[in-house]
């Protein structure tokens, strides 16, 4: 039987760049094993064996292009010069949100909690299997990818389409002529269909922290958007009011 599956359909063969993973671990054997395992998965791996070198490298990363940015850091806690917790603190202090997976020989709950408190995303206690490490890395990368979806793909929900590169949206094939705020709301809605948004969350995402005004502003924009979008704005099909919570798309 002929397979109709495209030969390059596997996730590893996407046109996007390989994820870049920095492994900071001073034990050569473990670091090499991690490096080999992650490279086998198709990731680009950078290995560093010392805390100070890691900090210097991370400082140099502040000016690199998107392509060279790190996607994940695997971080040992006990390192020469600068320990892993301080490296993690440094990253978060710099506003760097790259996912961090902490490795530690320590087993106590307080170390685990401390690791997460300084901004690590996950924690593995030594000894661990390479399979588990790879699985955790993959999960963290997937989560990060989901958060950083480049807003260039055309999105569609029922009869609504948005064209992010043109900042344009259509419904039933007709241009919507949205204001920038209305467009941003619609784009957010279409990125997460069925998700319920509170008015505060919409303000945070659309207007940002410097917003002055009250949540009524949201209702006003939703009303405008419904008038452009819905066949019957008083009986909306797309932007649904979720009583006591906020709004939902679809
Ligand atoms: Ca160590």
């Amino acid at each position: 039987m002929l397979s109709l599956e495209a030969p390059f359909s596997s996730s590893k063969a996407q046109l996007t760049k390989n994820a870049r993973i920095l492994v900071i671990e001073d034990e050569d054997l473990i670091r090499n094993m991690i490096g080999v395992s992650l490279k086998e998965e198709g990731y680009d791996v950078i290995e560093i064996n010392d805390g100070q070198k890691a900090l210097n490298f991370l400082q140099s990363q502040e000016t690199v292009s998107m392509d060279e940015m790190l996607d994940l850091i695997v971080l040992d806690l006990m390192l020469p010069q600068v320990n892993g917790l301080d490296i993690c603190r440094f990253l978060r202090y710099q506003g760097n949100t790259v996912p961090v997976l902490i490795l530690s020989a320590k087993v106590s709950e307080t170390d685990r909690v401390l690791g997460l408190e300084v901004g690590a995303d996950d924690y593995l206690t030594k000894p661990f299997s390479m399979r588990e490490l790879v699985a955790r890395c993959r999960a963290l990368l997937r989560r990060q990818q989901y958060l950083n979806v480049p807003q260039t793909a055309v999105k569609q929900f029922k009869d609504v389409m948005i064209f992010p590169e043109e900042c344009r949206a259509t419904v039933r094939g007709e241009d919507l002529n949205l204001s920038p705020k209305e467009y941003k709301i619609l784009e957010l809605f279409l990125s997460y269909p069925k998700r319920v948004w509170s008015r505060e969350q919409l303000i945070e995402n659309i207007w940002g922290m410097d917003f002055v005004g009250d949540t009524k502003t949201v209702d006003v924009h939703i009303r405008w958007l419904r008038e452009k979008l819905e066949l019957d704005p008083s009986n909306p099909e797309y932007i649904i009011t979720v009583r006591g919570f906020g709004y939902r798309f679809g």
Side-chain angles (χ1 to χ4, degrees), residues 133-198:
L133 176 106
V134 167
R136 300 271 185 116
C137 287
R138 206 184 290 133
L140 286 171
L141 287 167
R142 207 165 35 222
R143 201 173 79 195
Q144 192 69 4
Q145 237 168 23
Y146 177 74
L147 294 173
N148 292 339
V149 183
Q151 303 295 314
T152 52
V154 174
K155 293 196 184 81
Q156 180 176 15
F157 185 89
K158 291 193 192 169
D159 286 337
V160 181
M161 285 181 86
I162 57 167
F163 304 85
E165 289 189 325
E166 302 164 53
C167 292
R168 185 170 71 87
T170 62
V171 66
R172 296 170 287 275
E174 304 265 340
D175 253 315
L176 273 166
N177 287 319
L178 301 174
S179 72
K181 285 280 185 285
E182 290 163 355
Y183 174 80
K184 279 179 85 175
I185 296 171
L186 188 63
E187 186 185 38
L188 186 68
F189 277 152
L190 249 86
S191 302
Y192 305 91
K194 308 280 185 195
R195 173 178 169 167
V196 177
W197 296 90
S198 70

Side-chain angles (χ1 to χ4, degrees), residues 5 29 32 55 116 122 139 156 158 173 180 196 207 216 239 242:
E5 207 177 321
L29 185 64
N32 292 341
L55 268 191
L116 298 175
D122 201 359
Q156 180 176 15
K158 291 193 192 169
V196 177
W207 282 268
K216 293 260 190 318
I239 304 176
V242 184

Side-chain angles (χ1 to χ4, degrees), residues 56-121:
N56 296 345
F57 177 81
L58 290 169
Q59 264 161 339
S60 75
Q61 284 284 295
E62 284 169 32
T63 51
V64 301
S65 68
M66 287 288 280
D67 275 5
E68 291 172 274
M69 271 166 65
L70 293 169
D71 297 291
L72 174 68
I73 298 177
V74 177
L75 178 62
D76 183 33
L77 280 191
M78 301 287 277
L79 291 164
Q81 313 288 345
V82 180
N83 73 50
L85 287 178
D86 285 340
I87 290 175
C88 201
R89 276 195 198 100
F90 167 83
L91 276 170
R92 298 316 185 216
Y93 182 73
Q94 297 293 94
N96 192 330
T97 57
V98 62
V100 173
L101 170 62
I102 280 184
L103 303 178
S104 173
K106 299 178 174 182
V107 288
S108 86
E109 180 70 10
T110 45
D111 289 319
R112 209 185 94 83
V113 170
L114 195 56
L116 298 175
E117 264 175 12
V118 298
D121 298 87

Side-chain angles (χ1 to χ4, degrees), residues 25-27 76 78 126:
E25 163 66 82
D26 57 317
E27 286 165 74
D76 183 33
M78 301 287 277
K126 294 176 186 174

